[in-house]
């Protein structure tokens, strides 16, 4: 059987170029155009393809060797086909510095990747600065980063086939070069991350590419104990994370003068107690929020999954965050727009008692249009609540305080209630949010407005 020695072809005038990858071993069956070795100059890396089909008898180069045009790469026994003749050469011996790969999945308009020519030193820096593998394999691809990544064409092809963004892969080769094992490790880590976090955070983690916080052994610094998260905390954590990462949040702060509201509330106390109900400022807030949602229907909406439409709801169910020993839950008060303050207070009492006893059914926590998180019974002057997606806004309420307020002639002691409205800026703009809180402030300042 005929043997042939495959040699380094014309590599564009480069001399003494380093072999950074040997892709064949003795005994391998090779096909024309199959990559044999990868060379790297200080300007570019390139793969040398085979010209023939055959079986590798001997490999004449090793990683780290330097080669020039004409240096032997391998000796192969040519494979003959049908007519007993050695198979004709199919590939030219030009090294491939260009790849014709499919376009990146993130963009149909992007041209195929143009070659590997790049500065190796910059690449090494780019790769080492890239976040370690954490995201899935892989949501949006950073096209510039992917192109600049320090990897051979075959590794690029491999990464492409798995949908991996090379800019997120940590290279373990020389100068941070990404090897196929690094791509595999990246995929493995991403899959493990998703599995460990359950179905919940997959969307957020795959899209955002957030580098994980490295694990630390805290016992090196002092005594520690490990406490498992409660079931509610394990479930609500991914939901909060998803909302926080997916929704572009803005928080609008305002305050309402609730001096008269508080006087009215105090006057209701006896009547409420007789009915076994506790009326807190929260019941008024739920009623005022229902009225605000009717006035500003964009707040009573959700974005469609493709982000192209707004789904406006013609019902008004308001979720209320309840702090329980097991963690935060958000039971939903149905048809808040059709209930009076006393009825709302009664429903709030029932729901929060159920929540604290761990007796809420899944249906009790579904269907919310808007949420209220009140820390008014505890303290604080303002906070930035996380929108309870797919809702588009949440009202945070802090502790009311009597403060001197200028009425144009003198300072008056007024009971002021801080409001913090976080909203999804894709749906609501700042002016609308300011109108919403101004409306709430007006209604809470003068409850007669609720009947207008
Ligand atoms: N300003 C001043 N005082 C307030 C107030 C406010 N904004 N809101 C409530 N209060 C008062 C109440 O009037 C009550 O006082 P009195 O007993 O003298 O009337 C006291 O604070 C305690 O109220 P409460 O907390 O029992 O009742 P509530 O209706 O205000 O709240 C509930 C009910 C279930 C929402 C609340 O108990 C709770 O769990 N809040 C925490 C919610 C939370 O954790 N949010 C954060 C989410 S993000 O992590």
């Amino acid at each position: 059987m005929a043997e042939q020695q495959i040699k380094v072809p014309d590599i564009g005038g480069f001399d003494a170029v380093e072999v950074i990858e040997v892709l064949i071993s003795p005994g391998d069956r090779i096909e024309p155009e199959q990559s044999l070795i990868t060379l790297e100059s200080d300007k570019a890396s390139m793969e040398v393809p085979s010209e023939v089909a055959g079986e590798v008898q001997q490999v004449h180069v090793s990683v780290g060797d330097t080669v020039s045009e004409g240096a032997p790469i391998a000796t192969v026994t040519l494979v003959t086909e049908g007519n007993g003749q050695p198979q004709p050469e199919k590939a030219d011996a030009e090294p491939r510095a260009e790849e014709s790969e499919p376009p990146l999945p993130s963009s149909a308009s992007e041209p195929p990747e143009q070659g590997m020519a790049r500065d190796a030193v910059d690449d090494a820096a780019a790769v080492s600065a890239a976040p370690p593998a954490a995201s899935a394999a892989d949501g949006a691809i950073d096209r510039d980063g992917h192109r600049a990544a320090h990897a051979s064409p075959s590794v690029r092809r491999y990464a492409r086939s798995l949908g991996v963004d090379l800019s997120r892969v940590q290279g373990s080769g020389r100068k941070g070069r990404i090897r196929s094992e690094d791509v595999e490790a990246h995929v493995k880590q991403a899959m493990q991350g998703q599995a460990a976090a359950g179905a919940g955070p997959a969307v957020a983690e795959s899209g955002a590419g957030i580098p994980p916080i490295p694990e630390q052994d805290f016992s090196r610094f002092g005594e520690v104990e490990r406490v498992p998260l409660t079931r509610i905390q394990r479930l609500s954590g991914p939901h909060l994370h998803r909302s926080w990462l997916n929704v572009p949040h803005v928080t609008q702060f305002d305050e309402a003068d609730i001096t008269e509201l508080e006087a009215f509330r105090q006057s209701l106390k006896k009547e409420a107690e007789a009915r076994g109900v506790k009326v807190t400022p929260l019941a008024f807030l739920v009623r005022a929020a229902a009225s605000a949602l009717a006035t500003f229907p964009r707040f009573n909406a959700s974005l469609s999954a493709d982000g192209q439409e707004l789904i406006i709801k013609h019902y008004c169910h308001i979720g209320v965050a309840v702090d329980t020993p097991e963690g935060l839950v958000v039971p939903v008060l149905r048809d808040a727009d059709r209930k009076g303050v006393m009825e709302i207070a009664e429903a709030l009492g029932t729901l929060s008692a159920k929540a604290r006893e761990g007796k809420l059914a899944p249906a009790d926590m579904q269907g919310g249009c808007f949420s209220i998180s009140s820390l008014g019974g505890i303290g604080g002057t303002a906070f930035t609540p996380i929108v309870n997606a797919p809702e588009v806004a949440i009202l945070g309420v802090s502790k009311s305080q009597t403060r001197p307020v200028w009425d144009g002639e003198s300072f008056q002691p007024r009971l002021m209630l801080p409001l913090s409205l976080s909203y999804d800026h894709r749906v609501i703009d700042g002016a609308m949010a300011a109108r919403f809180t101004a409306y709430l402030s007006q209604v809470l300042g003068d409850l007669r407005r609720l009947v207008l």
Side-chain angles (χ1 to χ4, degrees):
M1 274 202 257
E3 280 196 348
Q4 182 171 325
Q5 199 171 58
I6 303 176
K7 296 181 177 162
V8 175
D10 173 7
I11 45 178
F14 287 110
D15 211 22
V17 180
E18 186 176 347
V19 177
I20 59 165
E21 230 170 358
V22 176
L23 303 162
I24 46 164
S25 312
D28 284 357
R29 171 79 197 255
I30 56 169
E31 301 296 334
E33 295 193 43
Q34 183 175 334
S35 298
L36 303 174
I37 56 172
T38 308
L39 304 177
E40 184 179 74
S41 72
D42 57 350
K43 289 274 178 254
S45 68
M46 62 203 104
E47 286 184 5
V48 178
S50 172
E51 311 145 28
V52 296
E55 189 179 312
V56 177
Q57 297 303 318
Q58 213 182 336
V59 179
H60 304 293
V61 287
S62 309
V63 171
D65 289 355
T66 50
V67 294
S68 304
E69 183 182 348
I73 297 173
T75 303
V76 297
T77 309
L78 298 179
V79 170
T80 53
E81 275 189 354
N83 59 9
Q85 295 302 308
Q87 203 174 327
E89 291 182 7
K90 285 187 184 163
D92 58 21
E94 288 297 305
R96 276 197 301 247
E98 269 198 3
E99 295 289 299
S100 57
E101 295 175 23
L104 287 165
S106 61
S107 164
S109 60
E110 196 205 355
E113 199 163 271
Q114 291 299 309
M116 301 299 109
R118 67 213 147 35
D119 183 82
V121 177
D122 283 359
D123 280 354
V127 170
S128 59
S135 61
D138 245 332
I141 286 186
D142 169 1
R143 279 173 265 147
D144 291 341
H146 183 87
R147 240 185 248 125
H150 185 14
S152 70
S154 59
V155 169
R156 285 168 184 281
R157 258 198 314 278
Y158 185 44
R160 287 278 171 111
S161 72
L162 297 172
V164 169
D165 179 350
L166 284 177
S167 68
R168 295 184 181 157
V169 179
Q170 185 80 53
S172 61
R174 216 170 56 86
K175 295 185 194 166
R177 188 169 53 82
I178 300 169
R179 303 179 310 152
S180 56
E181 296 93 300
D182 300 325
V183 175
E184 278 157 16
H186 175 84
V187 172
K188 197 169 160 197
Q189 192 173 344
M191 299 307 289
Q192 279 171 347
Q194 286 184 9
V203 172
E205 290 191 359
S206 65
I210 310 283
I213 295 164
E215 196 172 352
Q216 271 204 43
D217 177 9
F218 300 104
S219 64
R220 287 193 297 135
F221 311 112
E223 198 181 321
V224 294
E225 82 176 288
R226 294 178 92 96
V227 181
L229 293 183
T230 65
R231 198 181 70 86
I232 289 176
Q233 287 165 337
R234 287 201 310 273
L235 291 173
S236 62
H239 174 73
L240 288 165
H241 195 186
R242 207 162 42 219
S243 296
W244 191 60
L245 289 172
N246 278 300
V247 175
H249 281 74
V250 180
T251 305
Q252 167 74 19
F253 301 104
D254 208 334
E255 54 184 7
D257 182 339
I258 59 163
T259 313
E260 269 84 42
L261 183 154
E262 181 59 14
F264 180 51
R265 188 178 78 89
Q266 292 297 340
S267 73
L268 282 178
K269 260 197 168 170
K270 275 216 167 88
E271 185 187 333
E273 272 168 22
R275 288 171 62 168
V277 177
K278 185 176 174 191
V279 182
T280 64
L282 186 58
F284 292 91
L285 280 156
V286 171
R287 187 63 196 81
S291 177
L293 291 176
T295 308
F296 300 92
R298 230 178 148 78
F299 283 77
N300 192 4
S302 287
L303 260 185
S304 62
D306 62 5
Q308 301 299 306
E309 284 176 323
L310 206 55
I311 301 160
I312 310 245
K313 295 155 197 171
H314 294 298
Y315 52 86
C316 182
H317 306 330
I318 294 183
V320 175
V322 177
D323 178 33
T324 79
E326 295 292 296
L328 181 72
V329 287
V330 188
V332 173
L333 197 146
R334 314 232 151 230
D335 299 317
D337 54 334
R338 294 194 221 150
K339 291 186 164 83
V341 167
M342 203 67 93
E343 207 181 339
I344 291 173
E346 196 171 1
L348 281 176
T350 310
L351 283 173
S352 53
K354 257 174 117 177
R356 291 196 169 114
E357 289 159 18
K359 290 188 178 155
L360 286 174
D364 291 328
M365 292 177 277
Q366 289 167 357
C369 306
F370 177 84
S371 295
I372 300 182
S373 175
S374 173
L375 294 173
I378 303 170
T381 54
F383 63 108
T384 53
I386 296 176
V387 172
N388 188 12
E391 296 167 16
V392 295
I394 180 169
L395 180 68
V397 183
S398 299
K399 192 176 178 65
S400 60
Q401 281 187 348
T402 301
R403 288 201 286 104
V405 176
W406 184 251
D407 69 0
E409 289 178 356
S410 59
F411 282 106
Q412 300 295 333
R414 307 297 296 178
L415 186 62
M416 304 303 290
L417 179 73
L419 305 172
S420 308
L421 178 83
S422 291
Y423 57 91
D424 184 337
H425 209 346
R426 294 171 300 177
V427 177
I428 294 157
D429 59 32
M432 193 182 286
R435 287 191 194 102
F436 187 92
T437 56
Y439 175 89
L440 269 180
S441 171
Q442 272 187 338
V443 167
L444 293 167
D446 184 355
L447 291 173
R448 292 171 304 179
R449 289 185 168 274
L450 280 175
V451 294
L452 285 181

